[in-house]
Amino acid sequence: MADAVSLSDVSAQFTWLDYVVFSLMLAASASIGVFFGCFGKKQNSSEFLRAGKSMGTFPVSMSLIASFMSAITLLGTPSEVYQFGAIYWLIIFAYALVMPTAAFLYIPVFQKLDVTSSYEYLELRFHRSVRMLGSGIFVLQMLMYMAIVVYAPALALSQVTGMNIYVLIFLICAVCIFYTTIGGMKAILYTDTMQVVIMYGAMIFVIFKAMTDVGGWDFVWEKATEGGRLELINFDPNPLTRHTVFTILGGGYFTWLTIYGVNQAQVQRYMSVRKPYMARRALWINLVMLAILMLTCSYAGLVIYAKYHDCDPIKQGLITKGDQLFPLLVMETLGSWPGMPGFFVAGICSGALSTVAAGMNSLAAITLEDFIKGTFWPNISEENATRASRGLSLFYGLLTFALVFVAEQLGNILSAALSIFGMIGGPLLGVFTLGMFVPWANTKGAMVGTVSSLLFTFWIGIGAQIAKAYGQIVDPKLPTSIEGCLLNVTQSADYVTQIPITVQEYEEPLAIFRLSYLWYSAVGCFTVLIIGTLVSLCTGKQDVRKLNPESISPGVLAVAKWIPGLKELGKDYEAENSKEIQSTNLGSLNTGYVPDVEDGKLGKYTTSEVAHL
């Protein structure tokens, strides 16, 4: 039988030494920002946003991991496995498909065009209006995601320390704003590297100690089997089923391709390396580290179940959300080890800081390049551009803090975060894919396809959230037990008396609202491709002879000479390669391509013609 314990008992174990350990991590992050901001190379806007294209493989690979493997992964994945089973670990195989796709089909386009904002591509391929639309969608996506990322570790800290959650939110945002605004991209990359080490070290140590305490590997595996947590294969083809092999591999592939293929935060990292091949190497290292992290987090869920298999803390009333399970395990396992809970909290916060820093910097880049330079102040000086970059980072950090109060209403943080990437990221992936893989797509097709996709995915996502709020859709959780608890609600105010609630019955929701959240991105992407292609064919398809081959994915160019209507594009690409013409930016006259003022497309000129423009 489990001893009765209250949250006050748990939080009392977070001692002054834990605060010191946690504070040292925050101080180290801030110090890196001060170093690069005050003692490093003098920063201009390129240095601030792209680290002057001077970075090597290792810090970029660590930053790629840290950017989107945050507290959402560290807290949400163990909770997912505890409540729904370990099938989610199959997402590793989706990562294995995403990395080569991003490395060979998407990243080369951005590198050849040498963009700062990935949305520059949309103007060069289509029109400025498409660029503005894409940039606006990205800003919405990242602000929502960053708010969730800040809320998740604040929840964990509040759980284990007893501190006010809003004070903790402010602390996390303040430190992140400081080192990001002062140090720029270099500070972010090196801080991410340090934070990844802390994150992995904390997770591995906690899991090993907890596994040993509950009875070892065999006991964890035995209880997971008995509790049905090891159903690793489910070939149900129904897309309405929350997690199946097809949902995780197919839906997960498109969900994470939106991040590693076209997301501005990741593209900035690809563009910060000295040589193009370094970005590909960073992705391979990232893949290995991702696999290790996901296996570790998934196993953490099994260890948590072994610990609480007969005394579920949620049913017991000790905690209210699954995302609090891991912090509770940490305090009950390491509470008697002064300093170790602080180390774990530092690991959770490291993931949050790195993600928010990446988001702030990418949003600053988007706003500067796409809105300020692109629309309001095209001739801005380098000095003012650098000041604007810092000011924008500060602004988006403060805005993230404000939006955290919305994020706490979203429920399960893992599915909430991935739903956002699907609803918003899917249409973005679709419009980039349309431009890179459908050479005859035109501006009208891109605009209509993107807007239609965004409305469609939001209709599905918001409809699903409303249906869940009314109890029409309930994700079936695996059974848990409280038979082993020493229940005595008079011992602590933290226990909750369970009172039967009469649930009002509502009409059955539309079937599409039951669609697994992992399919949102695929739905959004294919909606853009289908509608965008059809509209382009109906309104006058793009003349491929006017396209710069470097704006098309290498995968399409490799087979273009065998496709009717694309032969000229393929021949042109081969001719360009044979002459070893190096493009730097489609907006520059050095590329041999200049904008066609009439339709926003790229018109091609000879070197002599460009010289006279």
Side-chain angles (χ1 to χ4, degrees):
M1 299 288 283
D3 295 332
V5 63
S6 68
L7 290 185
S8 58
D9 295 332
V10 172
S11 60
Q13 295 177 307
F14 200 85
T15 65
W16 66 268
L17 185 58
D18 297 301
Y19 285 102
V20 170
V21 172
F22 171 58
S23 299
L24 286 174
M25 186 276 294
L26 296 179
S29 298
S31 299
I32 293 174
V34 171
F35 174 80
F36 285 105
C38 301
F39 303 104
K41 182 179 178 181
K42 184 177 180 180
Q43 291 186 342
N44 54 27
S45 61
S46 176
E47 187 77 18
F48 186 84
L49 298 175
R50 300 200 302 179
K53 300 194 71 173
S54 62
M55 301 305 297
T57 299
F58 184 73
V60 172
S61 63
M62 294 298 100
S63 187
L64 286 173
I65 296 167
S67 295
F68 290 98
M69 289 295 157
S70 61
I72 289 175
T73 299
L74 302 183
L75 300 179
T77 304
S79 172
E80 168 70 30
V81 172
Y82 177 89
Q83 296 183 96
F84 298 99
I87 192 173
Y88 187 73
W89 79 277
L90 293 175
I91 197 70
I92 293 171
F93 296 100
Y95 297 151
L97 298 174
V98 166
M99 299 308 162
T101 303
F104 296 111
L105 299 182
Y106 287 88
I107 295 175
V109 177
F110 296 118
Q111 290 179 325
K112 289 179 180 178
L113 303 183
D114 193 31
V115 298
T116 297
S117 163
S118 60
Y119 299 96
E120 291 177 50
Y121 170 83
L122 297 180
E123 178 178 359
L124 299 171
R125 173 63 177 85
F126 296 116
H127 190 268
R128 179 179 296 274
S129 59
V130 184
R131 176 181 181 176
M132 295 296 100
L133 175 63
S135 299
I137 294 172
F138 173 77
V139 170
L140 175 64
Q141 177 191 33
M142 284 304 297
L143 285 174
M144 293 174 67
Y145 180 71
M146 289 160 58
I148 296 176
V149 167
V150 173
Y151 173 70
L155 175 65
L157 284 170
S158 178
Q159 176 73 33
V160 299
T161 66
M163 295 175 63
N164 184 281
I165 187 171
Y166 303 112
V167 173
L168 297 172
I169 290 170
F170 172 78
L171 182 62
I172 294 170
C173 287
V175 173
C176 189
I177 289 171
F178 177 79
Y179 78 77
T180 302
T181 304
I182 295 295
M185 178 59 83
K186 277 189 178 178
I188 293 171
L189 292 173
Y190 282 110
T191 304
D192 285 352
T193 302
M194 176 197 73
Q195 291 167 350
V196 165
V197 173
I198 296 174
M199 186 169 64
Y200 275 78
M203 289 291 294
I204 292 172
F205 181 84
V206 167
I207 293 169
F208 180 80
K209 177 64 168 61
M211 178 190 70
T212 303
D213 288 351
V214 299
W217 171 274
D218 291 338
F219 182 82
V220 171
W221 203 256
E222 175 187 347
K223 293 304 175 184
T225 303
E226 292 175 358
R229 264 64 184 176
L230 293 181
E231 182 192 10
L232 304 182
I233 302 297
N234 180 352
F235 287 104
D236 183 359
N238 187 354
L240 307 185
T241 303
R242 186 171 181 271
H243 282 168
T244 69
V245 172
F246 302 108
T247 295
I248 294 175
L249 294 185
Y253 170 79
F254 284 97
T255 298
W256 287 98
L257 186 58
T258 67
I259 296 171
Y260 283 97
V262 302
N263 186 278
Q264 170 65 20
Q266 304 297 63
V267 170
Q268 273 184 261
R269 280 147 181 75
Y270 303 146
M271 302 304 295
S272 70
V273 294
R274 293 188 297 272
K275 301 290 182 181
Y277 71 85
M278 291 181 175
R280 292 192 294 272
R281 286 186 178 179
L283 274 175
W284 306 138
I285 296 173
N286 176 75
L287 175 59
V288 174
M289 298 297 287
L290 278 180
I292 294 173
L293 184 62
M294 287 308 303
L295 287 173
T296 302
C297 291
S298 297
Y299 187 67
L302 299 181
V303 173
I304 293 172
Y305 181 74
K307 170 76 172 178
Y308 302 115
H309 66 278
D310 61 350
C311 187
D312 177 24
I314 300 175
K315 278 187 177 179
Q316 184 189 12
L318 185 58
I319 58 177
T320 58
K321 295 183 178 181
D323 307 316
Q324 298 171 321
L325 283 163
F326 201 11
L328 179 65
L329 175 76
V330 170
M331 291 309 301
E332 293 194 353
T333 302
L334 299 177
S336 60
W337 292 37
M340 290 311 300
F343 181 54
F344 168 78
V345 168
I348 294 293
C349 279
S350 292
L353 289 170
S354 59
T355 302
V356 176
M360 289 170 55
N361 194 262
S362 64
L363 288 172
I366 286 290
T367 307
L368 177 65
E369 296 294 327
D370 296 346
F371 295 100
I372 296 179
K373 287 185 178 180
T375 303
F376 303 109
W377 198 352
N379 299 318
I380 185 174
S381 66
E382 187 58 45
E383 182 179 359
N384 286 330
T386 304
R387 290 175 179 171
S389 299
R390 295 183 189 277
L392 289 167
S393 291
L394 174 62
F395 168 74
Y396 283 117
L398 295 175
L399 188 56
T400 298
F401 172 72
L403 291 175
V404 169
F405 301 99
V406 178
E408 64 180 325
Q409 307 299 323
L410 295 179
N412 182 285
I413 59 172
L414 183 64
S415 60
L418 295 182
S419 294
I420 289 172
F421 274 115
M423 292 162 56
I424 305 178
L428 288 178
L429 175 64
V431 70
F432 278 102
T433 303
L434 183 72
M436 295 182 188
F437 290 84
V438 186
W440 53 85
N442 63 20
T443 298
K444 292 179 181 178
M447 286 292 292
V448 175
T450 304
V451 173
S452 300
S453 176
L454 194 64
L455 293 174
F456 186 46
T457 54
F458 261 81
W459 175 64
I460 296 173
I462 294 176
Q465 290 298 319
I466 293 174
K468 288 181 179 180
Y470 281 104
Q472 295 173 295
I473 298 177
V474 178
D475 295 325
K477 299 178 181 178
L478 294 174
T480 56
S481 172
I482 55 173
E483 292 181 358
C485 298
L486 289 176
L487 293 177
N488 185 353
V489 296
T490 62
Q491 292 180 354
S492 169
D494 294 309
Y495 284 103
V496 179
T497 303
Q498 301 297 321
I499 302 174
I501 300 175
T502 302
V503 179
Q504 183 178 352
E505 294 186 2
Y506 295 91
E507 295 182 2
E508 186 74 11
L510 293 176
I512 197 169
F513 292 157
R514 296 184 178 274
L515 182 72
S516 172
Y517 68 95
L518 284 176
W519 283 118
Y520 289 176
S521 187
V523 169
C525 180
F526 280 106
T527 300
V528 176
L529 290 176
I530 294 171
I531 295 179
T533 300
L534 291 176
V535 171
S536 297
L537 293 175
C538 294
T539 58
K541 62 184 182 180
Q542 165 72 48
D543 184 355
V544 298
R545 293 173 298 179
K546 291 185 177 182
L547 286 178
N548 179 355
E550 292 179 350
S551 68
I552 303 300
S553 173
V556 174
L557 294 174
V559 298
K561 61 183 178 180
W562 293 296
I563 300 177
L566 301 182
K567 292 181 179 180
E568 291 297 324
L569 185 63
K571 291 178 181 178
D572 195 24
Y573 177 66
E574 289 182 349
E576 294 286 328
N577 286 342
S578 66
K579 295 177 183 178
E580 298 182 352
I581 296 177
Q582 299 297 320
S583 293
T584 56
N585 191 310
L586 291 179
S588 168
L589 296 180
N590 295 330
T591 64
Y593 293 84
V594 296
D596 184 337
V597 177
E598 291 183 357
D599 58 11
K601 302 182 179 66
L602 295 173
K604 187 171 62 178
Y605 299 84
T606 65
T607 304
S608 60
E609 289 172 331
V610 171
H612 292 87
L613 290 174

